[in-house]
Amino acid sequence: MSGRQRPWRADPQAPPDLETPLTARILIVDDDERNAFAAVQALEELGHELVVARSGEEALRRLLTEEFALILLDLHMPGMDGYETAELVRSRKRTRDTPIVFLTAIFRDEAHVFQAYSAGAVDVVFKPVDPFILKSKVTVLVDLYLKTEEIKRQSAYQQWLLDEHARVKAEKAQTERALRRTEARQEAILQSLPIVFTSRGIDPPYAPQFVSESVLSITGFPASRFVDEAEFGSSRIHPEDVDRVVQAMTGAVKTGRYSCEYRWLCADGQYRVLQDQGVIAPSLDGEPREIFGVLLDATDRHSLEEQLTQARKMEAVGQLTGGVAHDFNNLLTVVLGNVDIMARKAEDEARRIRRIEAIRQAAERGRDLTRQLLAFSRRQHLSPVTLNVGTLIRDFAPLIRQAVGEAVTLDLALSEETLCAHVDPTQLETALLNLAVNARDAMPEGGVLSIETHRESDPESVMITVRDTGVGMSSDVRERVFEPFFTTKEVGKGSGLGLSQVYGFVRQSEGEVRLDSAVGQGTAFHLRLPISEAPLQEVRAEAPQAEIVGGTERILLVEDEPTVLALTLDMLTGLGYQVATATNAAEALEVLHSGAEVDLLFTDVVMPGGVSGVSLARTARELRPDLRVLLTSGYVGEGAVIENAEFPLLDKPYESTLLAAKLRKLLDPRPPRRRRGRASEGSVAAE
């Protein structure tokens, strides 16, 4: 039989087992099988574990590995007798306290009994064994053993409690030291980082509950100011940024996160740009939710971004200036060269006409270049109407097919729904033509050009997509494709203003342009235009004038540029009109106040003196309600879209044929319009 350990010592780290009942083991050493059987029979009912050894040697072997509460040892045995066995048992530290009861049938005299006690026996039982006496003696000794073991177990448990307390205390102290080291390390890290960690309430004014100390290095104020004064942080946000911050924080309740930037007034009196972002922490055990966030000082980043933006602007301005100078120098070379030759020598009529035509073509190219630049800068004059985009594209498709050539297949995928936008039809056609020509150049071997339309719901708009199957664009080209004078084509193959015109026109029409392209995968331009619910307007192309028609009406001409004034005066008088001139609004009003008859006011929009042509026209109308008005300008700034709004506008440069047509359109009598109710006598509707 193998030995076993006490159950409370199974795991030194575990507490002693106080629940398992203690049991005793009794070793019976007797060479006579009958005597051993008799002892077992007598003790079985006690319920203890009984182990029989047939010799002293066997008993010693068991005692080396096993533990017994009591040893019943026969004195008279062959080989090693009971005395010798007892002596060896007592000589070992582990077994010297184990009680030994001698069993004997021979040695009954006092000398042997004394010798037995001297050998370490606690009692002597004579054979034949009386079962009752044996059970009584064994019960006493075993009970003593069990009580001793229970005391040991309780003592071990107490010691375990003391050891466990000491261990927990040591571990707690070690954990606290580690926590302090971690907190110190984290605090050092937080203070070294340009980041502020915050915790706020979820309800206005979103009062801070925690702010890391690193806020001092950014704002100049200690964290306690933010925590102790609920509205301190929000009170120093720039007034123009407050609504944006409140909107972001309010939206966080729905989305679970927020992110915003705002200017914050620091202790040094300077505003710094702070990037504030965070998330709403989930509620635990019914506790109020919090907003955990971080603050970053984004001032330097904003400064660098502004510098980069300014550098890009200067680069674009340099490129624009160079492109304008290049093209206009070419045009001026043609103009000045031909004028110089005409001034120095007389030529036959045919050569003179060719030189005049060259000057005209150069001037027209300069006019077109100026209009393209104004389109890019979103300062061109627009004449928007509400039109069906699909109808315009379908009607314009033949010209697009002609422009792209037979190698390119034009595919129209127009929505069956009526999609209306309020745009300038001529400029929209020009934008589509520019995109078509750009697509044709991207497909030198031919391909497919598709134009698609559909309704976008968010926001409500008309989407026009012009897509090709061409070579596509690299990322570098995509970033610069809308820059004026930027082109990937060979010298002389393009001005680099076509896509700039598209971008400027769409943006000026309150729309957006998006580009999708990749090398070898074609290109798609998406033009998003605000949808219009206004009634459709008929779009008619102005018929060319068969002849120049003048008149004899009285015109007040207002122009601050002397050369333009002289040229326009020649045009008007050449058409037969009676003309009075003024160089500014004050002089023009003097003419009107003088009582002189004036049928039409023809004035430049941009003039010196602080009064524009539009303001002059309004004042003139107040003085003379029947006065016709025609405005002119090469650039009218933010007020470009005034056609159909208040006064008609004639773009500079203009020719005598167009000027004559505009004047007659305004001055010729028109049939009265049908009005509901009674019409005002003598009233003339302004165009």
Side-chain angles (χ1 to χ4, degrees), residues 351-531:
R351 288 189 176 183
R352 188 179 71 85
I353 292 175
R354 284 201 301 271
R355 297 194 188 282
I356 292 174
E357 185 61 27
I359 293 173
R360 171 185 290 276
Q361 291 178 0
E364 290 176 347
R365 287 178 57 194
R367 176 195 61 193
D368 295 341
L369 178 61
T370 302
R371 288 177 178 174
Q372 287 179 311
L373 291 173
L374 288 175
F376 167 73
S377 63
R378 289 173 271 171
R379 296 294 186 269
Q380 66 178 330
H381 166 57
L382 297 179
S383 299
V385 297
T386 301
L387 54 84
N388 185 328
V389 173
T391 300
L392 181 142
I393 295 174
R394 191 176 292 107
D395 293 344
F396 192 60
L399 183 58
I400 295 178
R401 285 192 176 93
Q402 183 179 353
V404 298
E406 296 181 356
V408 176
T409 301
L410 178 61
D411 180 21
L412 298 183
L414 306 179
S415 173
E416 296 181 359
E417 181 184 5
T418 299
L419 302 177
C420 298
H422 192 67
V423 293
D424 187 316
T426 302
Q427 294 299 326
L428 179 54
E429 290 175 345
T430 302
L432 292 173
L433 186 60
N434 282 331
L435 292 176
V437 171
N438 187 76
R440 177 201 64 192
D441 295 341
M443 298 183 289
E445 303 299 326
V448 177
L449 170 64
S450 64
I451 302 178
E452 309 163 11
T453 62
H454 66 271
R455 180 190 293 265
E456 289 277 317
S457 58
D458 186 21
E460 190 78 353
S461 57
V462 180
M463 179 66 78
I464 304 173
T465 299
V466 180
R467 190 187 314 273
D468 65 60
T469 57
V471 296
M473 304 180 190
S474 65
S475 58
D476 294 338
V477 173
R478 286 199 307 270
E479 291 178 359
R480 304 187 59 191
V481 72
F482 293 118
E483 293 181 10
F485 295 104
F486 174 78
T487 179
T488 59
K489 301 172 185 176
E490 298 177 5
V491 177
K493 293 292 185 179
S495 65
L497 287 172
L499 296 180
S500 301
Q501 182 272 337
V502 174
Y503 176 84
F505 157 68
V506 175
R507 294 295 293 170
Q508 189 175 353
S509 301
E510 300 182 356
E512 296 179 357
V513 181
R514 182 167 56 84
L515 168 64
D516 292 329
S517 185
V519 176
Q521 299 182 21
T523 299
F525 288 91
H526 307 279
L527 281 56
R528 185 196 303 273
L529 297 171
I531 205 160

Side-chain angles (χ1 to χ4, degrees), residues 276-354:
D276 191 351
Q277 54 190 8
V279 297
I280 296 182
S283 177
L284 298 176
D285 300 329
E287 296 181 355
R289 291 192 295 171
E290 296 180 71
I291 301 177
F292 294 140
V294 294
L295 282 173
L296 300 174
D297 185 356
T299 307
D300 293 339
R301 176 173 61 80
H302 267 257
S303 177
L304 291 174
E305 288 177 351
E306 290 177 358
Q307 293 177 26
L308 178 59
T309 301
Q310 184 64 23
R312 287 178 174 173
K313 285 182 179 179
M314 295 306 297
E315 181 182 359
V317 168
Q319 179 173 301
L320 176 62
T321 303
V324 171
H326 174 271
D327 284 10
F328 269 104
N329 282 335
N330 287 339
L331 300 177
L332 292 175
T333 298
V334 174
V335 173
L336 294 176
N338 281 284
V339 169
D340 181 60
I341 292 174
M342 293 174 65
R344 285 190 296 106
K345 65 179 181 178
E347 294 182 314
D348 58 51
E349 185 65 14
R351 288 189 176 183
R352 188 179 71 85
I353 292 175
R354 284 201 301 271

Side-chain angles (χ1 to χ4, degrees), residues 51 90 93 183 209 232 454 487 504 670:
V51 179
R90 288 287 176 262
K93 182 177 180 181
E183 289 176 344
Q209 300 170 359
F232 175 72
H454 66 271
T487 179
R670 288 159 292 173

